[in-house]
Amino acid sequence: RSNVRATIGNALRPLLDPTVQHVCRAGASGYVNIADAIAEGQIVILSISAFLNRSLASLIGKSLKADFYKAIFSRGNHSGTRHRLAMLVADEYHLSASVGGALYDDAMALPLIRGFGAGLVAATQTLANLDNAIGPGLRNVLLPNFNTALIFRTAEEATANWASGLFGSRWEEVTTREKQRDHDIIGSTAWRERTFVRNIQRPICTLSDLAQLEPGQAFVHRQFEPSPAGPVWFAETEKVTAG
């Protein structure tokens, strides 16, 4: 009995914190119905410190995501039906990412929610975080379900390897100059500089390219559409003028 109590106590202790109870309590104050929020076009913001309460952030994130999917798929997708656009924005996405399970399987839900007027915006620091949470195999099942990928500056190898395969390569024309002995004149010891033009194939997005991106720059990939052959700007650079 004491072992059972200790186990239950360890499991429930994170939920007994006053700040946690403010989120999880059953009272009407602070209560949010996700289905009503979607139907009425409300903006709901839930912030939990993932550093201080990692397990709680994961639990609440998956629960909220399950409510979101349930509300979206309950709206129906009859021909000609136009639903209010609903978006779920998940920061530190690796904490709530899941593949498998009836209520919050991202790999199953993401290809379908577009037809119900909804979408998911997911942000994570590195793909290594996703690998640590769900494993590389399930990560490879999950990522192709996102239509658009924005990759900002990073020096993380797993992200670079994925991006390299995502963007492929491009042909570049490279001009080189080489000095060769002039054999046109018998006995000549003169050297002639010749120019050669070659076409070589280079990756569009490498680890070096990602590590050297400036703030406000990113590589952008969209399924079924040509991707830019280099990084794009999302913010204008500040102009410094000498006075």
Side-chain angles (χ1 to χ4, degrees):
R1 182 178 298 177
S2 61
N3 289 339
V4 173
R5 287 179 177 176
T7 301
I8 294 176
N10 289 332
L12 295 181
R13 187 173 294 113
L15 301 177
L16 301 179
D17 185 274
T19 57
V20 175
Q21 290 185 349
H22 179 72
V23 175
C24 299
R25 63 189 175 187
S29 176
Y31 175 76
V32 175
N33 186 309
I34 297 299
D36 291 343
I38 292 174
E40 298 171 10
Q42 298 176 354
I43 298 177
V44 178
I45 300 176
L46 177 60
S47 178
I48 299 175
S49 174
F51 181 81
L52 297 177
N53 299 285
R54 181 184 180 90
S55 298
L56 176 67
S58 178
L59 172 64
I60 297 298
K62 290 180 179 179
S63 299
L64 187 147
K65 188 177 62 175
D67 289 344
F68 177 79
Y69 286 157
K70 182 178 180 180
I72 290 300
F73 291 127
S74 297
R75 299 200 295 184
N77 64 339
H78 304 293
S79 178
T81 302
R82 186 177 180 86
H83 296 296
R84 182 193 298 273
L85 178 64
M87 299 294 296
L88 176 64
V89 180
D91 195 13
E92 301 296 342
Y93 171 65
H94 56 280
L95 295 179
S96 58
S98 51
V99 179
L103 292 179
Y104 45 75
D105 185 342
D106 294 331
M108 181 180 296
L110 290 179
L112 302 176
I113 60 176
R114 300 181 191 97
F116 292 78
L120 170 65
V121 178
T124 184
Q125 294 292 334
T126 64
L127 290 190
N129 288 333
L130 271 178
D131 291 346
N132 186 52
I134 63 176
L138 293 182
R139 185 252 286 178
N140 292 331
V141 173
L142 175 62
L143 290 183
N145 294 290
F146 288 94
N147 272 350
T148 303
L150 281 68
I151 309 176
F152 294 87
R153 182 170 59 187
T154 181
E156 197 260 325
E157 189 174 359
T159 302
N161 291 338
W162 175 66
S164 179
L166 198 65
F167 288 91
S169 59
R170 64 174 178 266
W171 288 97
E172 286 188 0
E173 190 176 87
V174 178
T175 302
T176 59
R177 292 181 175 86
E178 300 179 8
K179 285 187 176 181
Q180 296 181 349
R181 188 179 298 277
D182 191 348
H183 296 288
D184 294 340
I185 303 176
I186 299 177
S188 173
T189 59
W191 292 81
R192 177 187 298 178
E193 187 178 82
R194 296 188 175 182
T195 301
F196 297 90
V197 178
R198 300 183 179 92
N199 289 323
I200 62 174
Q201 201 169 11
R202 288 182 175 174
I204 293 176
C205 184
T206 65
L207 179 59
S208 176
D209 295 326
L210 289 175
Q212 296 181 56
L213 288 176
E214 297 184 39
Q217 269 189 319
F219 281 90
V220 180
H221 178 269
R222 299 193 66 185
Q223 289 190 25
F224 315 117
E225 293 185 14
S227 298
V232 300
W233 282 98
F234 285 88
E236 293 185 1
T237 55
E238 295 184 1
K239 296 181 180 179
V240 179
T241 57

